[in-house]
Amino acid sequence: MLRGARRPLCCVRAWGRLPSRSLMDLGELVTALNDFASLSLAESWDNVGLLVEPSPPHAVSTLFLTNDLTEAVMEEAVQKKADLVLSYHPPIFTPLKRVTWKTWKERLVVRALEHRIGIYSPHTAYDAVPHGVNNWLTKGLGACTSVPLHPSMAPSYPAEGSHRVEFCTDNTEHLDMVLAKIKDIQEIFCLTTLPARVDGEEQTRVSLNCSQKALLEVVALLSQNSLLYRKTEILLLQKPLLPHNGMGRLCTLSEPVSLSDIIERIKSHLKLPHIRLAVGASKTLESPVRKAALCAGSGSSILKGTEADLYLTGEMSHHDVLDAVANGISVILCEHSNTERGFLSELRDMLAVHLQNKINIIVSEKDRDPLQVA
């Protein structure tokens, strides 16, 4: 670059920070965020991860946390010179067919790219992890132990392949031919042969793992020999459950507490002047709460059918509330994002440690639940 020449604006935006500020490359930061809460734990329907990426190189000095990325919050992020917005809820969920100035979500993308601001969303990955949103919400109940209502599955199988195929034969010569053909099939794993006694006869048991695609070829091969095919067993391998990760929480209080005391604890924890309450059939405000099932956000599908004294969530459908009350379960509703937003302050502190204080982390002051009591 010639002396006195002006740097391109994009370089000034990405790298022109005060020397006292630390920087992280966007790719490095995204990797660290994924390590903090694996995106593999998110629900299959969710849209998580890096949603908007400025052209590289992109350095991050300020990470901006929000529960919902509205236009007011985006303007705040611009004013505070954020380089990456971590929005708990994904602002892009339904696929965008165009990016214009017509709708508010399209405008978010335009504004982000104009100001070289990335957007990252963890959503249900943060719901699932043991240091996430639901765990924070349990603290509003007081001293308790908790387990996920719906444990997450591990992202991969304990062994390679999704299916296991086993069969026995006493025809060694034919078996050698079959094994040779099996070894030619792609995506066959853990092929083993062991001596076995079946119905008093010495035979050879063959076991292998394979993918769904390879399974079709293996079955087609074995079906050419009707005797062999009749002795074939096919097992669908299951991904193991992760007992400390998952959706919702079932909480057992250290000591029973009256419903009225629980209400005050929750209001204090969430910093709310009020909540919505449905008292379970035959219950009163003085009824003891021993077990509480909770789910941040909209918890109907997660809580339904769970035996507990109390359901705690942001919102539930009218009929799901009626079902719970009829079963003697009290329901506390706090509005959707009110059961999530308070986690951001705790998240800021945890990320500061996780990222070794390399960057500035700030929480939005404009982010708020859209509903209010009039």
Side-chain angles (χ1 to χ4, degrees), residues 17-18 20-24 29 60-65 80-84 348 351-352 355-363:
R17 298 295 189 186
L18 295 174
S20 59
R21 290 189 178 182
S22 299
L23 296 171
M24 288 184 74
L29 177 54
V60 178
S61 174
T62 298
L63 175 62
F64 183 88
L65 310 181
K80 293 183 176 178
K81 300 185 177 356
D83 303 292
L84 179 67
R348 175 193 57 206
L351 285 179
L355 301 176
Q356 300 176 333
N357 293 304
K358 291 181 179 179
I359 59 174
N360 301 322
I361 305 175
I362 56 179
V363 177

Side-chain angles (χ1 to χ4, degrees), residues 80-323:
K80 293 183 176 178
K81 300 185 177 356
D83 303 292
L84 179 67
V85 170
L86 188 155
S87 177
Y88 168 74
H89 286 136
I92 304 172
F93 200 85
T94 302
L96 298 176
K97 293 186 177 181
R98 58 187 58 81
V99 180
T100 70
W101 201 248
K102 187 174 182 180
T103 67
W104 73 275
K105 290 198 172 183
E106 291 176 62
R107 291 194 293 271
L108 287 178
V109 176
V110 173
R111 290 287 280 164
L113 292 175
E114 282 180 338
H115 292 273
R116 293 189 56 78
I117 299 173
I119 301 174
Y120 178 95
S121 177
H123 201 202
T124 51
Y126 276 14
D127 292 348
V129 292
H131 50 282
V133 180
N134 282 310
N135 225 53
W136 166 81
L137 189 56
T138 66
K139 296 177 182 179
L141 299 173
C144 65
T145 57
S146 67
V147 295
L149 286 170
H150 297 273
S152 300
M153 282 196 297
S156 58
Y157 295 96
E160 292 184 283
S162 58
H163 293 76
R164 176 169 294 165
V165 179
E166 296 182 347
F167 60 90
C168 289
T169 181
D170 58 0
N171 189 330
T172 306
E173 183 177 343
H174 182 255
L175 177 60
D176 290 341
M177 181 183 66
V178 170
L179 291 178
K181 291 182 178 180
I182 287 177
K183 290 175 182 177
D184 288 336
I185 299 174
Q186 298 295 314
E187 299 179 1
I188 296 291
F189 315 102
C190 307
L191 176 60
T192 60
T193 57
L194 294 170
R197 180 173 287 275
V198 180
D199 298 330
E201 295 182 359
E202 293 295 334
Q203 299 195 12
T204 300
R205 174 173 288 276
V206 178
S207 174
L208 62 92
N209 288 3
C210 63
S211 65
Q212 175 74 46
K213 178 183 176 182
L215 177 66
L216 300 177
E217 296 183 59
V218 172
V219 170
L221 173 63
L222 297 179
S223 64
Q224 295 174 13
N225 184 308
S226 59
L227 183 60
L228 198 62
Y229 186 64
R230 286 199 299 269
K231 295 181 178 180
T232 298
E233 295 180 341
I234 300 174
L235 306 173
L236 175 62
L237 300 179
Q238 297 290 330
K239 295 177 181 178
L241 295 177
L242 303 175
H244 304 297
N245 298 270
M247 298 300 148
R249 295 292 184 271
L250 180 61
C251 308
T252 303
L253 277 66
S254 299
E255 294 183 2
V257 178
S258 70
L259 178 59
S260 60
D261 284 346
I262 285 289
I263 292 170
E264 293 308 313
R265 288 182 182 184
I266 292 169
K267 288 163 64 176
S268 175
H269 183 59
L270 302 185
K271 297 180 172 58
L272 295 176
H274 64 271
I275 50 89
R276 290 192 287 162
L277 172 68
V279 179
S282 74
K283 301 295 175 64
T284 70
L285 289 176
E286 298 309 311
S287 295
V289 174
R290 296 177 179 84
K291 284 195 173 184
L294 61 82
C295 179
S298 181
S300 289
S301 61
I302 301 298
L303 301 175
K304 197 167 187 177
T306 301
E307 293 185 7
D309 302 306
L310 172 69
Y311 285 174
L312 168 62
T313 187
E315 57 181 334
M316 286 176 65
S317 74
H318 173 76
H319 296 287
D320 286 337
V321 172
L322 290 180
D323 285 344

Side-chain angles (χ1 to χ4, degrees), residues 41-88:
L41 296 173
E43 295 290 278
S44 58
W45 48 260
D46 209 353
N47 189 33
V48 294
L50 186 63
L51 306 184
V52 174
E53 178 182 10
S55 60
H58 186 64
V60 178
S61 174
T62 298
L63 175 62
F64 183 88
L65 310 181
T66 185
N67 201 75
D68 293 296
L69 184 55
T70 61
E71 289 189 276
V73 172
M74 174 57 82
E75 185 58 34
E76 180 189 9
V78 170
Q79 295 300 319
K80 293 183 176 178
K81 300 185 177 356
D83 303 292
L84 179 67
V85 170
L86 188 155
S87 177
Y88 168 74

Side-chain angles (χ1 to χ4, degrees), residues 320-332:
D320 286 337
V321 172
L322 290 180
D323 285 344
V325 168
N327 289 320
I329 302 169
S330 298
V331 177
I332 292 178

